[in-house]
Amino acid sequence: MAQPSPSPVHESLGEDDVQAIDQLREANARLRNELAKVIVGQTDVIERLAICLFARGHALLMGVPGLAKTLLVSKLAETMSLKFSRIQFTPDLMPMDITGTDILQEGHNGRREFQFIHGPVFANIVLADEINRAPPKTQAAMLEAMQEQNVTVVGKSFKLEPPFLVLATQNPVEQEGTYPLPEAQLDRFMFLIELDYPSEAEEVRIARTTTGDALPQLDHLLTPEDVIRFQHLVRRVPVPDHIYTYAARLVRKTRPTDPTAPAWLKPLVSWGAGPRAVQYLILGAKARAALLGSYMVRLEDVHEVAVPVLTHRVITTFAAQAEGIDAKKIVSRLAEEANMER
């Protein structure tokens, strides 16, 4: 029986790119080993954070307090010599508290002039802690920065220095005094990364490592220039044509009005994922392939990033909520069915 011909790939890697992917794979292994000095477990979370960083995407971290979200993000920035900034979102937080503002200062010539004071958003990695605690006006101050890597204050624009990554956290337990993120803002996040409780053995290790002396300082593995170079490299990773089709069809199946949507999904989903989901499936697959040292995207790469890309983009119906079926279960079933059909 004749084997089907492989799908054409229009992109190709040069010899320098192949060597660069090998370097990125080695850097990824060193990053995991370095973070393991202070972070117990959370291997999947670390992989997904690395994918977001090198794919130039932002992430929404969901988990109860005490799962080392802040420590993980700050140590990730430390290993890459990146400027880290943490913003604690509260109901009284104003947009200028994030972006910065003009302050009247007295100059050398005695004249008073307005001087712009940069806010905490001017960093390489910004941790937006409990982003849903701030009112929508303040949340919206992050949208321009996330999408355009630009900040506008009093009619003046300020460019954010690359690399720029926003990692926002939400507490899934306490919802009093919170402002749910609108779908348009959720769509700006590449991944929804869920952090679960550690295992018993991991919890014992956490107790041992955090109740002793100070945590060790981590080595600086990459510079900001290295990160930017690898980000450009990820964009050049080849993708076969059939994988573009696979990603588009998977996203279209999340939409209840689409003819390809399975019958079981239609009463459970009121709104499916948009075109940005296809882009992030491909970018996530490219970044994962490069981090693992692969010179071409495979279907396995798309399958592995499907759940974090699609979960927060699928809006469930009241019927699904009444039956205890959340978006993650729906996306996981869709991905499994698509994996079996390929």
Side-chain angles (χ1 to χ4, degrees):
M1 182 176 178
Q3 294 293 325
S5 59
S7 296
V9 179
H10 301 296
E11 309 100 327
S12 61
L13 289 175
E15 185 177 345
D16 292 342
D17 288 339
V18 170
Q19 295 176 356
I21 284 182
D22 293 338
Q23 294 172 4
L24 179 56
R25 183 192 67 239
E26 295 171 2
N28 183 43
R30 295 200 309 270
L31 172 66
R32 289 172 173 271
N33 293 334
E34 201 66 22
L35 289 176
K37 296 178 181 178
V38 292
I39 303 296
V40 177
Q42 306 290 7
T43 55
D44 290 341
V45 175
I46 293 172
E47 178 185 275
R48 290 174 178 178
L49 284 177
I51 289 174
C52 286
L53 176 62
F54 291 109
R56 282 184 267 173
H58 310 289
L60 181 63
L61 284 74
M62 185 82 74
V64 298
L67 295 182
K69 296 187 291 292
T70 303
L71 178 64
L72 173 57
V73 174
S74 63
K75 290 300 180 182
L76 176 67
E78 181 181 331
T79 59
M80 298 190 180
S81 304
L82 299 176
K83 182 181 178 183
F84 171 69
S85 178
R86 178 177 180 270
I87 306 173
Q88 182 64 53
F89 280 69
T90 57
D92 60 347
L93 193 71
M94 299 296 290
M96 66 179 63
D97 296 327
I98 297 173
T99 60
T101 186
D102 279 333
I103 293 181
L104 194 60
Q105 299 274 23
E106 187 169 335
H108 297 295
N109 54 4
R111 296 181 59 184
R112 292 188 174 184
E113 301 173 344
F114 281 103
Q115 181 182 353
F116 180 71
I117 304 299
H118 291 76
V121 76
F122 287 87
N124 298 122
I125 294 183
V126 178
L127 176 62
D129 216 352
E130 294 192 289
I131 190 172
N132 57 333
R133 290 237 175 257
K137 184 177 181 180
T138 304
Q139 292 177 10
M142 296 294 296
L143 279 178
E144 182 185 10
M146 292 170 61
Q147 189 67 24
E148 308 295 338
Q149 293 194 14
N150 195 68
V151 169
T152 303
V153 180
V154 198
K156 293 183 290 187
S157 293
F158 300 90
K159 194 71 177 174
L160 298 173
E161 290 295 325
F164 179 70
L165 176 67
V166 173
L167 301 173
T169 69
Q170 282 194 147
N171 183 348
V173 179
E174 187 181 358
Q175 296 300 325
E176 292 185 10
T178 61
Y179 302 84
L181 297 179
E183 285 71 23
Q185 188 166 358
L186 283 173
D187 200 39
R188 275 8 184 235
F189 290 101
M190 178 179 179
F191 276 3
L192 171 63
I193 302 176
E194 296 184 286
L195 288 82
D196 204 353
Y197 289 110
S199 65
E200 180 180 344
E202 290 173 341
E203 210 149 3
V204 170
R205 286 179 56 200
I206 291 171
R208 283 177 176 161
T209 57
T210 58
T211 57
D213 205 351
L215 294 175
Q217 294 291 319
L218 302 187
D219 293 335
H220 300 289
L221 305 178
L222 297 173
T223 65
E225 292 74 23
D226 291 331
V227 174
I228 294 172
R229 178 168 59 90
F230 285 134
Q231 286 178 339
H232 288 297
L233 172 68
V234 162
R235 298 276 173 149
R236 297 195 296 272
V237 173
V239 181
D241 284 349
H242 74 280
I243 291 185
Y244 284 112
T245 304
Y246 176 84
R249 288 177 177 173
L250 178 60
V251 171
R252 294 180 70 84
K253 286 181 179 180
T254 66
R255 303 166 188 165
T257 57
D258 194 276
T260 63
W264 61 265
L265 177 139
K266 296 182 178 181
L268 303 176
V269 175
S270 59
W271 201 259
R276 193 177 276 117
V278 183
Q279 297 173 330
Y280 281 143
L281 280 177
I282 297 298
L283 282 174
K286 284 187 173 191
R288 183 178 186 271
L291 286 167
L292 296 180
S294 177
Y295 309 123
M296 182 182 297
V297 171
R298 303 162 300 169
L299 283 172
E300 289 79 5
D301 298 316
V302 179
H303 182 71
E304 287 297 321
V305 301
V307 171
V309 166
L310 295 175
T311 298
H312 59 296
R313 293 181 165 87
V314 172
I315 310 302
T316 57
T317 62
F318 177 77
Q321 298 168 17
E323 295 179 23
I325 301 175
D326 57 15
K328 184 177 181 180
K329 292 179 181 177
I330 294 171
V331 171
S332 298
R333 181 174 174 181
L334 265 181
E336 288 298 329
E337 291 181 355
N339 193 36
M340 294 173 61
E341 292 172 1
R342 69 185 190 188

